[in-house]
Amino acid sequence: MADMGGDRVEEAVASCAALLRPAAGRDWDGVRAGRLEWNCRRTAEHIASDLIAYAGQLAGRATEAYVPFDIALDEGTGNAGVVDVIEATGGLLAAAVRTTPREVRAFHPYPFRSANREGFAAMGVAEVLLHTHDIAEGLGLPYSPPDELCTWVLTRIFPQVRPEPDAPWSTLLWATGRGELPGREPVSDWRWSNNLVIGAERLTLQGVTPAAAADLRAGGTGGFEWIDGGPFDGTRDAAGMIVSAYGKGEHRPEWGMFVVVRRADGLAVGGIGFHGVPDEEGRAEVGYDLAENARGQGYATEALRALSEHALARDDVKLLFAAIDRENAPSQRVIARAGYTRVSEDLEKATRELHDLEGSLRLYSRES
């Protein structure tokens, strides 16, 4: 996962320019762009505006709102000039993505009020692909971007969407209300989803996208810089669970996996997260692990407290629980320091029978 999106932005912009430049002599003002209310000219200008806005967010390190600026094309600029501006602003976003440190997050309103460099790259690519499609529809031109580019977007900012491995472009169009997929209801209201980050005193818990999970499961870094000895095997196993849930359309980012990153140096030290969404009674299971070189410093306790407090602040969560081997004394100390207590033997027995838990596991819980 060496490329955090700069190359992808350039690839998307190149596909846009390849379609629009030969059509620059057409009437863009008098033609509506697909299903949009805008005409093709306004839509093309919007692509450029989005690209420079995202570049500005990253370059300006904006944390509370959008950087208050916009672009205006010179009077008399023709359609070919608009394509020039799209290429220029795309180059600026690609440069901003490449030069922004991995830990930097800048403001974006949905859904968690921030995005990292990869998120802004993915949003920029999505804007280019989708609005180029809108313009192509208006002008009656065929347009189909590379499948790999569409998959790249889906696995980063559409984690809740069940993929169609053989039809990523159709999936992206369906997910944004621009097309149909067999067996799925039409989409009328949609949002993309940047990864959630939960802050703690010395750590940040950074939500893992399906793309990062797939890389971790395959033996990669997931786009993180890890402490020596990391990631631990449990983190890779948990990443596999995310990949499986994503493939089934069951992944929900808030109830997935987080990589624990140390603020002081930006190094990832472990993984933490949930085994799935809360059940009908508001109960969810947590799990965690650390790389061996990060243990004994209170990181697991701090991360578990932060995750637990974030989850229990929600109206749909009443109880969190963890299953820990009775021989794992260090993990038992972590769970106790994080405010969890051992459940009664009767409840433990009933839960073990209901969920077919191993006899060596002990249950601990924390309520809202």
Side-chain angles (χ1 to χ4, degrees):
M1 293 190 66
D3 173 36
M4 289 293 104
D7 292 349
R8 302 301 188 181
V9 171
E10 291 179 340
E11 184 181 2
V13 168
S15 79
C16 171
L19 178 94
L20 297 186
R21 195 172 293 284
R26 302 271 296 273
D27 176 16
W28 291 11
D29 289 293
V31 180
R32 182 172 168 177
R35 305 182 186 188
L36 303 183
E37 296 297 327
W38 297 333
N39 63 29
C40 291
R41 167 74 179 219
R42 174 70 183 89
T43 305
E45 293 176 353
H46 176 76
I47 293 173
S49 180
D50 277 338
L51 291 170
I52 192 63
Y54 293 158
Q57 292 301 98
L58 287 174
R61 307 291 194 265
T63 58
E64 300 297 330
Y66 285 118
V67 178
F69 78 103
D70 201 351
I71 60 171
L73 276 64
D74 291 342
E75 185 176 350
T77 298
N79 294 337
V82 179
V83 179
D84 291 339
V85 176
I86 290 173
E87 290 180 316
T89 52
L92 290 171
L93 176 56
V97 168
R98 292 186 178 116
T99 56
T100 298
R102 183 181 61 80
E103 289 302 296
V104 168
R105 296 188 70 86
F107 173 82
H108 187 275
Y110 189 85
F112 304 118
R113 300 188 64 79
S114 72
N116 60 13
R117 62 189 184 186
E118 190 174 35
F120 277 106
M123 289 187 289
V125 171
E127 294 281 3
V128 172
L129 300 186
L130 295 169
H131 289 313
T132 301
H133 162 80
D134 296 332
I135 297 170
E137 234 184 14
L139 297 176
L141 300 173
Y143 177 66
S144 181
D147 282 350
E148 185 180 356
L149 194 56
C150 301
T151 298
W152 191 87
V153 171
L154 287 166
T155 57
R156 283 157 176 83
I157 56 173
F158 289 91
Q160 75 283 6
V161 172
R162 176 168 59 86
E164 290 283 350
D166 297 328
W169 178 225
S170 297
T171 304
L172 183 57
L173 291 176
W174 170 82
T176 56
R178 289 171 166 84
E180 298 180 356
L181 279 179
R184 303 201 198 186
E185 292 294 322
V187 172
S188 58
D189 185 29
W190 63 273
R191 294 281 189 177
W192 51 49
S193 180
N194 284 291
N195 66 321
L196 171 64
V197 173
I198 301 171
E201 182 179 355
R202 298 174 297 165
L203 310 166
T204 58
L205 281 54
Q206 302 187 16
V208 173
T209 65
D215 189 61
L216 281 167
R217 185 187 64 171
T221 66
F224 297 89
E225 185 177 352
W226 287 84
I227 192 172
D228 288 344
F232 194 65
D233 290 344
T235 296
R236 298 199 186 279
D237 292 341
M241 295 170 60
I242 298 300
V243 172
S244 177
Y246 171 67
K248 299 174 184 177
E250 298 173 354
H251 176 52
R252 298 296 176 264
E254 306 96 309
W255 304 105
M257 171 186 170
F258 299 79
V259 165
V260 180
V261 177
R262 195 160 57 191
R263 289 184 185 272
D265 54 14
L267 293 180
V269 297
I272 193 169
F274 302 94
H275 288 234
V277 300
D279 63 19
E280 294 180 354
E281 297 183 21
R283 300 173 301 191
E285 182 178 359
V286 298
Y288 52 88
D289 67 29
L290 291 180
E292 290 187 12
N293 290 337
R295 296 172 186 174
Q297 301 177 61
Y299 294 147
T301 299
E302 183 177 333
L304 183 56
R305 281 176 181 158
L307 183 72
S308 302
E309 289 165 5
H310 176 85
L312 291 170
R314 297 172 56 111
D315 293 337
D316 56 347
V317 180
K318 305 302 180 186
L319 180 143
L320 300 176
F321 70 94
I324 300 174
D325 193 282
R326 62 185 177 188
E327 303 297 330
N328 192 344
S331 189
Q332 292 170 19
R333 290 193 290 271
V334 167
I335 205 81
R337 288 194 294 265
Y340 288 69
T341 57
R342 175 85 179 273
V343 304
S344 68
E345 291 187 7
D346 289 343
L347 178 57
E348 188 174 74
K349 180 180 178 181
T351 305
R352 183 180 293 113
E353 293 174 352
L354 181 63
H355 296 283
D356 195 27
L357 296 177
E358 295 181 12
S360 63
L361 295 177
R362 297 292 179 262
L363 293 182
Y364 297 79
S365 68
R366 176 174 168 177
E367 299 184 43
S368 58

